Amino acid sequence: MTTNETDLLLLLLDTQRTAFRNALSGLTEDQARSTPSASAMSLSSLLNHVIDGEVAAADRISGTESRDPDPVAAWTAGWTVRDDETVADQLARLDTVAARFADVLRAEPDLDRVVDLPESIARWLDQGVPLSVRFLVLHQIEEWARHAGHADIIRESVDGATADVLAGGAW
């Protein structure tokens, strides 16, 4: 077991990614795109949203910008699932984004470093604490956990499969 904080944070984040992957396991493309509840969220759109959030966090930590500079436009675009986009495409993108996030975080020497964010972005993250690298990583864990829970509910609404069964009875 690791005692390195960065590795521990990445492990917790990966656990939430796995829970989300489990919610997609065995579904058809139509099922992954369906909106079986009162929410407008599908598993595919929700997955794109959390992947986009992780891209944004890696960009912010590394000082790069690969998304639309308008945070509202970027957030809105993050929910979009292209007609030709498959779950396999999304999961491959997730693997790439997760690897980049891990590389960015492992290259960061100081989790307490305050990340300089424009007010147009910082206002959406303000929790009354400095927006440190650690905060941004914890926020990603929070986002993945929240949306993995949404994914469980959506999946159960699609075909009745529950998280414990989808996790292979690992609980």
Side-chain angles (χ1 to χ4, degrees):
M1 173 143 232
T2 183
T3 57
N4 173 292
E5 183 179 7
T6 296
D7 288 340
L8 181 59
L9 292 169
L10 289 169
L11 176 68
L12 291 171
L13 184 56
D14 196 52
T15 299
Q16 298 309 314
R17 291 186 197 115
T18 297
F20 203 115
R21 281 179 183 275
N22 290 344
L24 287 159
S25 176
L27 292 180
T28 67
E29 296 297 329
D30 286 342
Q31 288 173 314
R33 290 172 179 264
S34 69
T35 54
S37 67
S39 170
M41 288 187 283
S42 71
L43 289 169
S44 290
S45 66
L46 190 57
L47 180 57
N48 275 355
H49 168 68
V50 288
I51 291 170
D52 181 65
E54 195 163 325
V55 168
D59 283 355
R60 291 169 185 147
I61 293 167
S62 66
T64 61
E65 187 57 59
S66 63
R67 300 164 70 241
D68 189 317
D70 175 352
V72 175
W75 183 85
T76 302
W79 290 93
T80 303
V81 181
R82 295 183 328 269
D83 289 342
D84 65 340
E85 188 173 25
T86 67
V87 171
D89 295 335
Q90 292 176 286
L91 294 175
R93 181 170 176 241
L94 171 57
D95 291 340
T96 300
V97 168
R100 176 178 177 242
F101 190 84
D103 289 346
V104 165
L105 193 56
R106 286 189 176 113
E108 175 59 51
D110 183 8
L111 294 176
D112 291 322
R113 178 178 63 84
V114 175
V115 178
D116 186 31
L117 299 175
E119 175 54 32
S120 63
I121 294 171
R123 70 187 184 108
W124 299 103
L125 296 171
D126 185 16
Q127 301 289 316
V129 297
L131 299 176
S132 65
V133 172
R134 181 180 290 105
F135 174 87
L136 292 176
V137 175
L138 290 170
H139 179 69
Q140 281 309 295
I141 295 169
E142 174 189 37
E143 281 290 296
W144 275 97
R146 172 185 298 114
H147 293 313
H150 292 144
D152 288 342
I153 292 166
I154 294 169
R155 173 58 188 261
E156 190 170 354
S157 297
V158 168
D159 67 0
T162 57
D164 58 330
V165 172
L166 293 168
W171 299 355

